[in-house]
Amino acid sequence: DAGVIQSPRHEVTEMGQEVTLRCKPISGHDYLFWYRQTMMRGLELLIYFNNNVPIDDSGMPEDRFSAKMPNASFSTLKIQPSEPRDSAVYFCASSFSNYYGYTFGSGTRLTVV
Amino acid sequence: GDSVTQMEGPVTLSEEAFLTINCTYTATGYPSLFWYVQYPGEGLQLLLKATKADDKGSNKGFEATYRKETTSFHLEKGSVQVSDSAVYFCATYETSGSRLTFGEGTQLTVNP
């Protein structure tokens, strides 16, 4: 099992550009979570899906952020337009029925200049 | 909703010292409890868990016991190593909330 796979590992972009982060969860897992981690705010839950359906997006900071899960093996988090304050490490995690703990990906380090 | 309070860091220890990182929680029911570890440049990894009162989770020399009476789940290790340097997160899960609630994390540095 390759675990949760995120791409890219690092992304540097200019303010105003669109950024798309990708995640492949573990096969068979029915929950998928997107987190953002910064020194100032720590670990923040942005949105999570159950069986590809968004359940709670109350953590999405603003309309510039959107997330999709078109099928059980793929999810994207998009920021358009990006701003310097979006610079952070973004983690994807998946779990089976939410009870046994999450498996996290290695994260995408986003820098917006 | 649930909340998790962790011992403030950073914590700095010498190799082979005893480690305790305190964690207390508030919850409406009887949550499952977890410790996650994040090594530099990596995502969080599940370290150990306990699902009911008096259960003891253990892994890699780390232990934590689910104490319902004190609503605590303190992480302990008898002899830390330099390789244990990482950030440690306590977390709770309640079915009603259907997601994990994480503490703020505690940075541990172990010096040789």
Side-chain angles (χ1 to χ4, degrees):
Chain A
D1 189 344
V4 176
I5 300 173
Q6 290 187 247
S7 64
R9 285 299 309 272
H10 301 274
E11 176 81 32
V12 180
T13 191
E14 291 186 347
M15 183 174 63
Q17 296 298 306
E18 177 180 294
V19 176
T20 299
L21 311 182
R22 296 172 175 79
C23 175
K24 177 178 168 55
I26 290 175
S27 177
H29 280 190
D30 55 351
Y31 281 83
L32 184 139
F33 306 83
W34 282 101
Y35 282 87
R36 177 171 69 176
Q37 187 177 39
T38 60
M39 289 294 292
M40 290 295 293
R41 293 200 180 97
L43 197 62
E44 302 174 276
L45 176 63
L46 300 177
I47 185 172
Y48 75 96
F49 296 82
N50 177 219
N51 292 322
N52 314 337
V53 176
I55 302 301
D56 185 350
D57 65 354
S58 60
M60 297 285 261
E62 47 198 274
D63 291 346
R64 297 185 298 106
F65 285 69
S66 63
K68 294 182 180 179
M69 191 165 186
N71 57 62
S73 58
F74 184 66
S75 177
T76 59
L77 178 68
K78 186 176 293 186
I79 308 172
Q80 166 63 20
S82 57
E83 297 182 4
R85 61 192 167 121
D86 302 331
S87 298
V89 181
Y90 291 81
F91 289 104
C92 175
S94 70
S95 73
F96 176 66
S97 295
N98 220 358
Y99 181 74
Y100 297 105
Y102 301 173
T103 301
F104 280 78
S106 298
T108 295
R109 180 173 294 277
L110 173 65
T111 303
V112 183
V113 298
Chain B
D2 292 7
S3 69
V4 178
T5 302
Q6 282 186 236
M7 168 181 180
E8 281 193 26
V11 175
T12 302
L13 296 173
S14 297
E15 206 164 24
E16 299 184 1
F18 184 85
L19 168 71
T20 300
I21 300 178
N22 291 338
C23 171
T24 57
Y25 65 90
T26 60
T28 53
Y30 299 100
S32 295
L33 305 175
F34 302 81
W35 276 101
Y36 281 79
V37 58
Q38 184 179 28
Y39 298 105
E42 298 183 12
L44 280 71
Q45 302 174 24
L46 179 62
L47 179 60
L48 54 84
K49 67 182 181 187
T51 57
K52 61 182 188 296
D54 300 324
D55 267 2
K56 177 185 284 187
S58 61
N59 186 23
K60 299 181 181 180
F62 291 90
E63 293 182 340
T65 301
Y66 190 142
R67 302 287 187 200
K68 188 176 72 172
E69 63 276 10
T70 54
T71 62
S72 64
F73 193 54
H74 304 321
L75 183 68
E76 296 182 338
K77 186 174 186 182
S79 176
V80 293
Q81 305 300 312
V82 173
S83 57
D84 294 327
S85 297
V87 181
Y88 292 82
F89 292 88
C90 185
T92 65
Y93 171 74
E94 277 197 291
T95 307
S96 60
S98 68
R99 65 189 190 193
L100 286 174
T101 300
F102 285 95
E104 293 298 312
T106 301
Q107 172 77 55
L108 170 67
T109 301
V110 180
N111 295 318

